[in-house]
Amino acid sequence: MKLVRYGKTGAEKPGLMHGDSLRDLSAHVDDITGATLDDASLARLAAIDPETLPEVAGNPRIGPCVGNIGKFLCIGLNYSDHAAETGAAIPEHPILFFKANSAIVGPNDTVMMPRGSTHTDWEVELGVVIGKAAKYVSKEDALDYVAGYCIVNDVSERHFQTQLTGQWTKGKSPDTFGPTGPWLVTKDEVPDPQNLSMSCDVNGKRMQTGTTSTMIFTVAEIIEHLSHLFTLHPGDVISTGTPPGVGMGMKPPTYLKVGDVMELEIEGLGHQRQEVGEDA
């Protein structure tokens, strides 16, 4: 299934994609959140004949594919070639930082550059959505705790991230810096999360081309590692790192400007498009 949330910000409704048709799920579930992502709930939704669901007319805004996200967890430097382009050493363990939940927006919402920003960058990433509580799980069992996958643009302000003293979270958390979606693709449609092609274009020019097969730490290894540090809860999202081609790694470094357009794709997970605006 491809689960989606659509409508005005803060008032999104649940739906699913049936081919190219958006169908309304409101009669069956209040929202797509951690409370509805366990195996039994997903099986109940999967049993519904999509043809019986009302078709959503028009072209509504698409919201973040998960509502009320608990933790927004991010893994840094998880592709060896991305680490190389930034001049960083290969990490011994997954590098973890948090992205503020107030950064989360829909996949096609405007990304607003914060005041004074001159180093805002793009990062296409595979998002992993947790479906049931995971604590002390092994990598062999880790994927059993996944509800599905999505695209995340881990937008980053590099000056805030590296020069304002402190954790990376400062440069990762400005408002609108977490486009998520367009839909949550349930794990049954993604048999191997380590074999997905991914790309990011800026103003029509291909900047990032990669595949999840080159991750340093696999999705299963990330879940194992994190679940030994704290409990992962249903509705938590893990953004698993980005392949090479970010602006910071270019010679000379190249960053976003107001009016630029980012377009992101991951195989089987859909497409995002964001214009860059300027925060008031």
Side-chain angles (χ1 to χ4, degrees):
M1 287 185 296
K2 294 180 174 65
L3 298 173
V4 63
R5 300 171 69 249
Y6 68 95
K8 294 182 179 180
T9 302
E12 291 91 349
K13 296 180 180 180
L16 63 78
M17 297 303 299
H18 179 51
D20 292 329
S21 173
L22 173 58
R23 303 293 177 126
D24 181 37
L25 272 174
S26 297
H28 299 273
V29 64
D30 291 335
D31 199 354
I32 307 301
T33 69
T36 56
L37 294 179
D38 60 277
D39 290 342
S41 295
L42 292 179
R44 181 171 59 82
L45 295 179
I48 300 169
D49 180 359
E51 295 286 350
T52 67
L53 299 171
E55 188 169 5
V56 179
N59 187 28
R61 169 187 173 268
I62 302 300
C65 59
V66 182
N68 297 327
I69 290 174
K71 296 188 286 293
F72 202 128
L73 305 152
C74 301
I75 305 300
L77 300 176
N78 196 30
Y79 288 72
S80 55
D81 34 12
H82 171 56
E85 74 173 343
T86 63
I90 299 298
E92 184 178 352
H93 306 286
I95 294 174
L96 173 66
F97 59 91
F98 285 76
K99 205 173 189 76
N101 286 26
S102 53
I104 299 167
V105 291
N108 305 314
D109 290 343
T110 302
V111 167
M112 306 299 288
M113 287 177 54
R115 288 183 185 178
S117 171
T118 57
H119 293 72
T120 295
D121 206 347
W122 55 86
E123 292 192 13
V124 60
E125 305 202 0
L126 173 65
V128 180
V129 182
I130 299 299
K132 59 183 179 181
K135 186 173 184 179
Y136 300 131
V137 303
S138 68
K139 63 182 180 182
E140 290 76 17
D141 297 330
L143 297 187
D144 293 341
Y145 294 82
V146 173
Y149 303 90
C150 64
I151 304 172
V152 172
N153 188 355
D154 177 21
V155 185
S156 307
E157 214 299 340
R158 301 303 188 185
H159 179 79
F160 295 2
Q161 178 184 350
T162 63
Q163 302 299 316
L164 294 189
T165 309
Q167 298 182 347
W168 288 4
T169 298
K170 290 181 178 181
K172 300 288 189 171
S173 293
D175 295 348
T176 74
F177 271 29
T180 303
W183 40 68
L184 186 161
V185 180
T186 50
K187 62 184 176 185
D188 57 294
E189 294 194 13
V190 186
D192 184 5
Q194 303 308 145
N195 188 32
L196 302 174
S197 60
M198 53 205 307
S199 66
C200 176
D201 295 353
V202 179
N203 299 329
K205 180 179 179 181
R206 180 60 46 89
M207 296 298 189
Q208 290 185 274
T209 300
T211 169
T212 57
S213 65
T214 62
M215 283 184 180
I216 298 169
F217 304 103
T218 66
V219 171
E221 289 169 338
I222 291 167
I223 292 172
E224 177 185 60
H225 181 74
L226 297 183
S227 75
H228 281 69
L229 303 174
F230 44 77
T231 302
L232 297 170
H233 291 285
D236 287 351
V237 174
I238 306 169
S239 198
T240 56
T242 199
V246 299
M248 179 175 62
M250 295 182 176
K251 300 187 186 304
T254 302
Y255 296 109
L256 293 166
K257 306 179 302 296
V258 173
D260 286 348
V261 175
M262 295 175 281
E263 296 187 77
L264 296 77
E265 291 191 42
I266 297 181
E267 181 180 353
L269 303 186
H271 174 271
Q272 294 186 352
R273 181 185 187 277
Q274 302 106 27
E275 295 185 11
V276 178
E278 188 171 16
D279 211 356

